[in-house]
Amino acid sequence: MSEKIIYLDNNATTKSCDEAVQAMMPFFSEKYGNPSSMHTFGGEVGAYIKKAREQVSELIGAADPQEIVFTGCGTENSNMALRGLTDPRKRHIITTKVEHPCVLNVAKHLEKHHGYEITYLGVNSEGELDLDEYKDSIREDTGLIAVMWANNETGVIFPVEKMAEIAKEKNPKVLFFTDAVQSAGKIPVNVKNTKIDMLGISGHKIHAPKGVGAIYIKKGTLITPFMLGGHQERGKRGGTENVPGIVALGAASEQALRYLDDEVSRVKKLRDRLERGILEKTFNSRINGSRIKRVPNTTNISFEYIEGELILLHLSDLNICASSGSACTSGNLEPSHVLRAMGIPYTAVHGSIRFSLSRYTTDSDIDYVIDKIPAVINKLNSISPFQSELRELKEIKTAVKG
Ligand code: PLP
């Protein structure tokens, strides 16, 4: 067994990069002042927050660093965008059925308790949206559109730049928010020359620590603050700043930009090799989601007729970390809402595993997983209650191959 942890669960969280950890350290001990204090000791900390704001704004191409507001996490960004609607006449929100719960649950809450009408756009079997249906759903009373840039479970990318344009053509006043938590640092994410009004990122998904995030709010966008309190973040987010986290997010953003090309090419090659290896060696595996429009680090693979949780436990015994569905939904027994929206059969949804790579994933990590997976799957196939279905599937796959 590998002594090392083979960590292929980077969409759940990532290891903090050295640059982020080093950057944040002084703010626990030497530079612990409050940036709002009048004295120089605290006040000078503000310069480091300013630098972090510039670094984050570089990562996402904001025209002005002042458009970046530091928050506590990706979930807070979505809450801020959805709950921040100011115009009482705009009570229609458009989102998709495959958003992260931090959007879906806020939408459901607004629908149930605040009289909002929500359109939940469906996806096809590849996890893609129908842009005509989307366009038709935009109304005069639509206040906000919330569409994720990349899906956390399948990695499928939505054409959010184009969607923001369509939105403004049809209704110039509508606000467009995109949850870019799973796309920033993985593919180019740039708000410059787009009609996107708000965009959220989360530190712990891009090699910064947990507990810090940022939301881009385009200059002139009217949003009611969600965290009321002090004047921090120019009144947009009250609460003493998480200075170590913010500084680390700045450093991690700089690194994310630096590694972007590597992430797209090297990580994609590793991911594709992992997929090929698994598909070749296990007859009941299939990839979920468009293989063309996907972030390079993610693959969602179903092992039909066996249970995903069991696969995860066996992999965990081999020191391989993966995930079944999103980290937030595992722990409840509901099958993935994303795969169900794609119309994937239940027998495949239940056996779905997400592998998500990062810049720290190595060739030997992938070799190890490809080597170990067949025995795990064969063992679980042998105890599956779906023996005749598995036999039939094997015959079909063998015939196709032959
Ligand atoms: N949005 C997406 C797409 C995610 O994958 C996640 C976390 O998995 C979040 C938002 C929530 O981010 P955070 O954990 O920082 O609240």
Side-chain angles (χ1 to χ4, degrees):
M1 190 174 101
S2 170
E3 289 294 308
K4 189 184 151 198
I5 295 291
I6 311 297
Y7 188 75
L8 299 182
D9 201 12
N10 288 281
N11 286 10
T13 199
T14 59
K15 168 183 161 170
S16 292
C17 61
D18 290 346
E19 290 81 359
V21 175
Q22 274 166 26
M24 77 193 294
M25 281 322 210
F27 298 90
F28 291 109
S29 45
E30 302 142 41
K31 301 182 196 297
Y32 57 85
N34 186 328
S36 300
S37 296
M38 286 302 288
H39 45 73
T40 318
F41 178 66
E44 67 184 13
V45 169
Y48 295 90
I49 296 183
K50 181 170 178 277
K51 181 175 172 204
R53 215 182 291 286
E54 285 161 5
Q55 288 164 316
V56 173
S57 107
E58 276 281 302
L59 176 66
I60 62 151
D64 182 347
Q66 297 299 319
E67 294 173 314
I68 305 296
V69 175
F70 289 112
T71 61
C73 55
T75 301
E76 186 183 328
N77 300 335
S78 303
N79 273 269
M80 201 189 248
L82 272 84
R83 290 166 183 259
L85 285 178
T86 46
D87 187 340
R89 290 160 305 173
K90 308 266 175 161
R91 301 195 78 77
H92 177 233
I93 293 175
I94 300 169
T95 187
T96 79
K97 288 186 180 167
V98 297
E99 296 298 306
H100 187 272
C102 71
V103 167
L104 281 180
N105 286 338
V106 182
K108 284 181 199 156
H109 174 86
L110 293 175
E111 192 173 23
K112 192 167 172 196
H113 300 290
H114 297 275
Y116 278 83
E117 194 187 330
I118 317 282
T119 299
Y120 299 94
L121 298 168
V123 292
N124 65 14
S125 60
E126 296 286 282
E128 298 158 336
L129 293 165
D130 177 339
L131 289 193
D132 290 329
E133 183 194 342
Y134 162 67
K135 191 173 178 180
D136 289 346
S137 71
I138 303 166
R139 313 189 316 214
E140 205 165 317
D141 66 337
T142 308
L144 180 86
I145 298 170
V147 176
M148 66 201 325
W149 199 309
N151 188 274
N152 45 305
E153 294 193 32
T154 59
V156 171
I157 298 169
F158 287 149
V160 287
E161 294 130 306
K162 188 167 175 197
M163 291 176 81
E165 248 166 52
I166 293 174
K168 300 287 176 168
E169 269 165 27
K170 208 161 164 206
N171 177 350
K173 296 245 170 78
V174 74
L175 295 181
F176 193 98
F177 165 68
T178 183
D179 172 359
V181 162
Q182 295 291 355
S183 52
K186 294 176 185 167
I187 52 170
V189 162
N190 198 315
V191 291
K192 197 171 170 196
N193 302 327
T194 75
K195 302 271 192 273
I196 294 168
D197 300 296
M198 291 177 282
L199 175 149
I201 66 167
S202 171
H204 74 110
K205 311 285 186 178
I206 62 162
H207 304 289
K210 293 152 191 70
V212 63
I215 183 167
Y216 158 82
I217 305 179
K218 189 185 266 176
K219 207 176 269 172
T221 305
L222 280 181
I223 274 288
T224 304
F226 155 66
M227 292 267 278
L228 294 171
H231 61 274
Q232 294 90 350
E233 298 298 281
R234 297 171 312 289
K236 291 201 167 73
R237 201 273 190 181
T240 301
E241 298 87 342
N242 169 8
V243 181
I246 289 172
V247 170
L249 177 57
S253 298
E254 193 175 311
Q255 294 306 311
L257 205 51
R258 205 178 126 214
Y259 278 100
L260 195 56
D261 289 341
D262 176 68
E263 192 90 20
V264 175
S265 56
R266 192 189 70 89
V267 172
K268 180 177 182 306
K269 274 192 203 133
L270 289 179
R271 190 272 314 269
D272 291 349
R273 193 159 72 75
L274 175 68
E275 282 184 341
R276 272 197 310 277
I278 292 176
L279 290 182
E280 269 166 27
K281 292 184 173 194
T282 54
F283 69 88
N284 56 331
S285 54
R286 51 181 271 179
I287 312 279
N288 297 315
S290 165
R291 289 165 86 162
I292 303 159
K293 298 172 201 154
R294 243 189 336 171
V295 286
N297 82 317
T298 306
T299 178
N300 188 305
I301 304 182
S302 278
F303 298 91
E304 288 191 82
Y305 304 114
I306 57 177
E307 198 48 64
E309 307 294 320
L310 276 179
I311 305 172
L312 282 189
L313 290 177
H314 279 74
L315 293 182
S316 178
D317 285 345
L318 294 162
N319 277 350
I320 300 170
C321 304
S323 164
S324 65
S326 74
C328 308
T329 49
S330 60
N332 86 39
L333 292 173
E334 279 293 303
S336 153
H337 69 286
V338 176
L339 300 186
R340 275 184 299 148
M342 290 161 66
I344 308 284
Y346 264 70
T347 46
V349 172
H350 278 280
S352 71
I353 300 290
R354 178 187 70 188
F355 297 99
S356 44
L357 290 63
S358 81
R359 77 174 77 122
Y360 297 114
T361 307
T362 63
D363 266 301
S364 64
D365 291 344
I366 299 302
D367 291 339
Y368 180 76
V369 180
I370 294 174
D371 184 46
K372 295 294 175 193
I373 281 238
V376 170
I377 301 303
N378 284 340
K379 181 176 169 197
L380 296 177
N381 283 349
S382 73
I383 56 166
S384 162
F386 294 95
Q387 288 305 313
S388 62
E389 286 85 351
L390 279 167
R391 253 195 314 276
E392 204 178 308
L393 188 61
K394 191 170 190 178
E395 275 166 21
I396 295 170
K397 286 281 172 83
T398 317
V400 171
K401 258 192 183 171

